[in-house]
Every structure is written in structure tokens, then in C-alpha cells.
């Protein structure tokens, strides 16, 4: 065995094997292997996206951990009651829009979205309440929402029309020494609050707010805070879907066991994709430091087509070439795997494999696998063929269940769970 790697045959990374060698490129830094299988080139963008942002639109999903994107404190004369009005846009079905509490945390009000509809929860000295109503507003359109505390009720309006009137004995927040002091959190909950809610909720919300007026104080001071921080700026126009910007992945813990038989497992992945670059990992199972299954898009030898490949370890077990993966239209991809067979489909084309490699996957499935979307954690060189992050829109179903990125174990902050940039016209 000659160690070819010692002769610098590879541009970036080299793995020697008896009588041979393999070159690899650092996908996480945006590189892919060139056609000569030795040099590296940048993963190329194939669809220009409209990533125009506006600092007057506050992005509500800046942090995956669900902590508020903005925190405000008000100290106002005691004639003040709680009010909030703003324009709101989302495709997300659940999450916290706003949470306000008294200085001593004894009274609070939560404005949230559940099943796409407005939900109000509050607690004061007289008790607690949960109410929801109105139509679903997670349709990607702008809606004017207002919440106003009146003498004996809380009024909620959408587009100036009342959708809820909630009876409220006494005021929401008690004044002290001639002042009303409240803390307001936008898009998230303060860390200690989660368990004190009347009804639990996933606080993460991918949406935008503009033209807000809290406690009748207008924009006071908030615009400046947002202006300075890019991650708080919202895209001007978005469509439905999840967006992977090519810089990270989401991690899920999914049980693939087939309940009818302990020895059996089933992997049934269906996804709708609209890639923006020609190479990247869309779906992968990782077991310790191995990658027993990955589904990736790679560029092919012809300039106007891409391939979708299914790999077990660093062996391609199924592949389909498609002329039009990088197009404005969405492409349907399916992967169905049992211990006997793997079936890959792209639109209406199918490739099947009963490769002996499936036994490697079976061993991994008998132990513990972690599911990744949009990329891979750090795995050893040569563990799999593609390591570049996926860039583009993608919606994924696993074993007939739609995966919601707000429910991932972890997710890169740049991934947008429920909004996708439009294509540059």
C-alpha cells in the first residue's frame, strides 16, 4: 500500500485505503468535490432568492430556545390600562405573540396562537382564564390585531372587528404608588414562566410584527433597538414552507420501530423540496459517528441537472437524475426503507435497491439513531459522501407525520420553521 495522501493528491482532505485513496471536501464550509474527484469547488447557487429585509418588520423567531425577541418595561400613570395593537403575519400555527406581567409576577396576560387562532390566557387576583376565538390567521397575510383592557372585560379585535370579549373582574394589573408598572415580552416567555401557564404552549413562533403600539406609547425606543440588529429584521415577502439557508441543521428524536414486530422498522420519508443550491444533505440518520442513511442532492455531470442519492455509509445505494431540481417549482421526493429493500422516488421516477449494505442500516436501526434535517453534525471524514448543508425550502413527513421544526430537539437559529423566501423575479 502506497500512502497517496502523503503526496498531496487531494486539494483539501484525503483518506488513504489499501491500494487506493479518496478525496473529500469540507461541505460545512460550502465546498464539494470537483468532477476530477481531487479538487474542491464551491457549492453553487442555482436559484436566486429574494432575501430583502426591512428593519420596521420585527422577526419573531430570532432564537430557537423560545426566549423573547424583545423585552420592554413600562412605568405609566395609574389611569393606564393594558393595550396592545400591531400588524401580524405568520404561517405558523402555534406560538407566543406577547406576554405581559406585573412587576411582582403575580398577574400576567398571554396573547398566543394555537391551531392558527388567537388565544388569551391571563391570571390576576381573582383567578385564571383561557379563551380562544376568531378565525385562523396563519395564512401568511397581514392582520391588524388589538387587545384592550376595558372596565370589566378584555376585548380582542382582528382588523378592527371584535372576535372576543372576555369578562375580567377587576383590573389586570394593580397600580402601586400612583403608577402602573408592567414588563412586556414579545415572541417568547421569560425562562421561569413556562410551567405557570394555565395551558401549556410551544412558545416558538415564526412570524413578523409591524406598526406596533404597546400601552398607547407608540414605537417608543423600540425601532432603534431593531434597526441595529440584522437578526431581528423580517423578510419583506415569504411563502409557506421551511427554509434552510445552508448554515445548519435541525435534530429530531424519532422512533422508527414498527409496532407489529420488534425486529421490524420502517423509514417512510416524503418531502417537498425547492433547492437553492445544487448540493446538500436533506435527511440523515446518525448512529454514534456513522451515517447509516442519508438522502442528499448532488450536482451531476451535466450542467443543467442534479441527482438525488441515497447512501448507506459512504456507498450510494440508489440514485435518480433529474433535469429540473433547481427550478421555481417544488419537487416531490420519497424514500421508503425496510430491512429488505430501499426505494427512492423523485416525482414519478423510482430506483430500488436490495443492496447488502442494508444489513449495516439494520444494525444501526436495532441500536439508536438520531434524525437530522438539512445537514449533519460533525462526523469522521469518509463516514458519508456529502457533508454540505442543504440550502432551500423543504417540508418533510416521516412515517406520515409532518415534522414541525418548532418541535425539534435543536435547530440552527437561521433555519426558518414556517416561512420561505420567494424566488427573485
Amino acid at each position: 500500500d502506497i500512502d497517496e495522501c502523503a503526496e498531496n493528491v487531494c486539494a483539501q482532505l484525503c483518506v488513504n485505503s489499501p491500494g487506493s485513496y479518496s478525496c473529500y471536501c469540507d461541505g460545512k464550509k460550502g465546498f464539494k468535490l470537483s468532477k476530477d474527484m481531487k479538487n474542491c469547488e464551491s457549492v453553487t447557487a442555482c436559484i436566486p432568492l429574494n432575501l430583502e429585509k426591512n428593519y420596521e418588520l420585527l422577526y419573531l423567531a430570532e432564537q430557537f430556545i423560545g426566549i423573547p425577541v424583545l423585552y420592554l418595561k413600562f412605568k405609566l400613570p395609574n389611569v393606564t390600562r393594558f393595550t396592545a395593537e400591531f400588524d401580524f403575519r405568520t404561517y405558523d400555527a402555534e406560538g407566543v405573540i406577547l406576554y405581559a406581567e406585573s412587576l411582582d409576577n403575580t398577574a400576567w396576560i398571554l396573547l398566543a396562537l394555537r391551531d392558527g387562532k388567537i388565544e388569551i390566557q391571563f391570571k390576576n387576583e381573582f383567578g385564571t382564564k383561557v379563551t380562544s376565538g376568531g378565525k385562523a390567521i396563519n395564512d401568511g397575510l397581514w392582520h391588524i390585531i388589538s387587545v384592550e383592557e376595558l372596565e370589566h372585560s378584555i376585548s380582542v379585535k382582528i382588523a378592527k372587528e371584535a372576535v372576543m370579549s372576555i369578562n375580567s373582574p377587576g383590573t389586570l394589573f394593580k397600580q402601586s404608588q400612583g403608577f402602573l408598572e408592567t414588563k412586556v415580552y414579545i415572541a417568547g416567555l421569560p425562562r421561569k414562566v413556562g410551567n405557570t401557564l394555565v395551558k401549556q404552549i410551544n412558545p416558538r413562533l415564526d412570524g413578523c410584527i409591524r406598526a406596533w403600539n404597546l400601552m398607547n406609547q407608540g414605537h417608543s425606543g423600540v425601532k432603534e433597538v431593531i434597526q441595529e440588529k440584522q437578526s431581528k429584521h423580517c423578510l419583506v415577502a415569504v411563502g409557506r414552507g421551511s427554509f434552510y439557508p445552508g448554515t445548519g441543521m435541525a435534530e429530531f428524536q424519532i422512533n422508527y420501530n414498527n409496532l407489529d414486530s420488534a425486529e421490524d422498522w420502517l423509514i417512510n420519508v416524503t418531502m417537498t423540496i425547492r433547492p437553492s443550491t445544487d448540493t446538500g444533505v436533506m435527511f440523515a440518520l446518525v448512529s454514534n459517528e456513522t451515517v447509516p442513511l442519508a438522502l442528499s442532492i448532488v450536482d451531476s455531470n451535466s450542467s443543467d441537472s442534479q441527482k438525488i442519492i441515497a447512501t448507506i455509509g459512504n456507498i450510494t445505494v440508489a440514485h435518480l437524475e433529474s433535469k429540473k431540481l433547481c427550478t421555481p417549482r417544488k419537487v416531490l421526493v420519497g424514500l421508503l426503507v425496510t430491512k429488505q429493500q430501499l426505494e427512492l422516488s423523485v416525482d414519478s421516477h423510482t430506483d430500488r435497491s436490495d443492496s447488502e449494505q442494508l444489513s449495516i442500516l439494520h444494525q444501526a436501526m436495532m441500536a439508536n439513531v438520531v434524525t437530522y434535517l438539512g445537514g449533519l453534525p460533525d462526523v469522521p471524514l469518509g463516514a458519508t459522501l456529502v457533508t454540505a448543508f442543504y440550502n432551500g425550502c423543504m417540508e418533510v413527513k416521516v412515517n406520515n407525520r409532518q415534522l414541525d421544526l418548532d418541535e425539534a430537539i435543536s435547530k440552527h437559529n437561521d433555519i426558518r420553521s414556517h416561512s420561505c423566501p420567494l424566488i427573485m423575479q
Side-chain angles (χ1 to χ4, degrees):
D1 178 41
I2 302 161
D3 183 358
E4 291 91 347
C5 292
E7 298 163 19
N8 292 336
V9 285
C10 298
Q12 280 189 4
L13 310 160
C14 184
V15 175
N16 187 54
S17 54
S20 185
Y21 67 94
S22 300
C23 297
Y24 293 91
C25 302
D26 192 340
K28 288 185 182 296
K29 293 200 173 131
F31 291 101
K32 62 181 181 184
L33 201 56
S34 299
K35 305 277 185 282
D36 63 9
M37 304 305 281
K38 293 178 182 176
N39 287 301
C40 296
E41 58 190 78
S42 294
V43 169
T44 42
C46 49
I47 280 193
L49 298 174
N50 180 1
L51 298 171
E52 182 195 351
K53 287 183 172 182
N54 186 326
Y55 73 86
E56 292 189 352
L57 309 182
L58 173 62
Y59 184 50
L60 302 182
E62 184 197 11
Q63 297 281 345
F64 175 68
I65 42 182
I67 56 168
V69 54
L70 208 61
Y71 163 66
L72 307 161
K73 201 168 169 184
F74 293 96
K75 185 174 183 180
L76 300 165
N78 65 5
V79 292
T80 319
R81 295 180 192 275
F82 178 78
T83 68
E85 182 174 75
F86 48 84
D87 282 5
F88 174 65
R89 179 190 79 189
T90 190
Y91 285 107
D92 203 340
E94 183 172 327
V96 170
I97 302 172
L98 177 150
Y99 176 85
E101 63 182 0
S102 59
L103 225 48
D104 61 3
N105 310 336
T106 56
W108 52 263
I109 181 168
L110 170 79
L111 173 65
L113 214 58
R114 196 187 298 270
D115 298 326
K117 297 176 180 177
I118 294 275
E119 176 175 287
I120 297 275
Q121 298 188 28
F122 70 85
K123 175 187 175 210
N124 61 11
E125 58 189 313
F126 301 102
T128 59
K129 207 165 231 188
V130 182
T131 313
S132 66
K135 57 174 187 173
I137 53 169
N138 59 331
D139 53 9
L141 303 174
W142 286 103
H143 296 274
I144 303 171
I145 293 174
S146 67
V147 181
E148 189 179 7
E149 183 186 0
L150 305 170
E151 187 93 28
H152 299 294
S153 65
I154 294 165
S155 162
V156 181
K157 293 178 182 171
I158 298 173
K160 309 275 193 227
E161 285 186 22
V163 292
M164 279 189 272
S165 180
I166 308 155
N167 288 341
S168 163
T171 57
L172 261 178
F173 301 116
K174 276 173 36 186
Q175 286 93 8
S176 71
Q177 295 160 354
F179 286 99
L180 175 75
E181 295 192 61
T182 42
K183 298 178 283 186
V184 178
Y185 303 86
I186 306 280
L189 295 170
R191 288 184 191 278
K192 61 186 185 317
V193 164
N195 302 328
T196 59
L197 295 179
V198 191
K199 194 175 176 186
Q200 291 307 303
I201 195 163
N202 183 333
R204 302 178 182 103
L205 180 67
D206 179 350
C208 290
I209 281 184
R210 70 180 181 195
W212 57 89
N213 180 359
L214 300 176
M215 307 297 282
N216 288 321
Q217 301 304 299
H219 275 72
S220 62
V222 180
K223 239 177 176 172
E224 293 67 34
V225 175
I226 299 167
Q227 219 160 339
E228 284 162 22
K229 202 168 173 207
Q230 267 286 324
S231 63
K232 290 185 192 294
H233 301 179
C234 214
L235 292 172
V236 174
V238 292
R240 195 183 289 279
S242 304
F243 177 61
Y244 298 75
T247 49
M249 71 262 171
E251 178 186 339
F252 286 85
Q253 195 71 53
I254 297 173
N255 183 354
Y256 294 94
N257 290 343
N258 197 336
L259 299 175
D260 304 331
S261 154
E263 265 287 285
D264 273 4
W265 43 267
L266 174 74
I267 302 166
N268 182 9
V269 181
T270 51
M271 46 174 74
T272 316
I273 63 168
R274 195 194 78 204
S276 309
T277 60
D278 62 15
T279 303
V281 177
M282 298 183 290
F283 171 91
L285 300 181
V286 175
S287 173
N288 297 324
E289 295 197 308
T290 68
V291 186
L293 183 66
L295 186 61
S296 310
I297 177 174
V298 291
D299 65 332
S300 69
N301 294 331
S302 102
S303 59
D304 64 342
S305 67
Q306 288 81 38
K307 275 193 297 197
I308 287 188
I309 60 170
T311 53
I312 293 176
N314 58 9
I315 308 286
T316 300
V317 289
H319 66 92
L320 285 169
E321 190 157 334
S322 176
K323 274 217 168 329
K324 305 183 193 69
L325 282 179
C326 262
T327 66
R329 76 180 188 94
K330 291 182 171 174
V331 177
L332 201 60
V333 178
L335 181 67
L336 184 64
V337 197
T338 62
K339 63 180 182 186
Q340 288 88 20
Q341 193 179 53
L342 178 146
E343 184 178 297
L344 171 66
S345 60
V346 177
D347 284 336
S348 52
H349 305 285
T350 306
D351 187 21
R352 290 184 183 84
S353 165
D354 50 10
S355 155
E356 62 221 40
Q357 298 295 320
L358 281 164
S359 63
I360 295 170
L361 176 58
H362 180 63
Q363 292 313 118
M365 296 307 284
M366 291 290 95
N368 184 34
V369 292
V370 182
T371 304
Y372 288 91
L373 297 185
L376 288 165
D378 291 330
V379 292
L381 208 52
T384 186
L385 295 180
V386 183
T387 53
F389 292 116
Y390 174 76
N391 182 329
C393 293
M394 177 164 70
E395 287 171 90
V396 183
K397 263 187 183 173
V398 173
N399 292 359
N400 293 322
R401 183 173 155 255
Q402 188 82 37
L403 295 191
D404 184 343
L405 289 168
D406 288 341
E407 293 169 11
I409 296 171
S410 68
K411 173 184 84 66
H412 193 283
N413 282 336
D414 292 348
I415 295 174
R416 292 170 178 260
S417 308
H418 296 276
S419 58
C420 214
L422 303 180
I423 288 163
M424 199 77 107
Q425 295 301 328

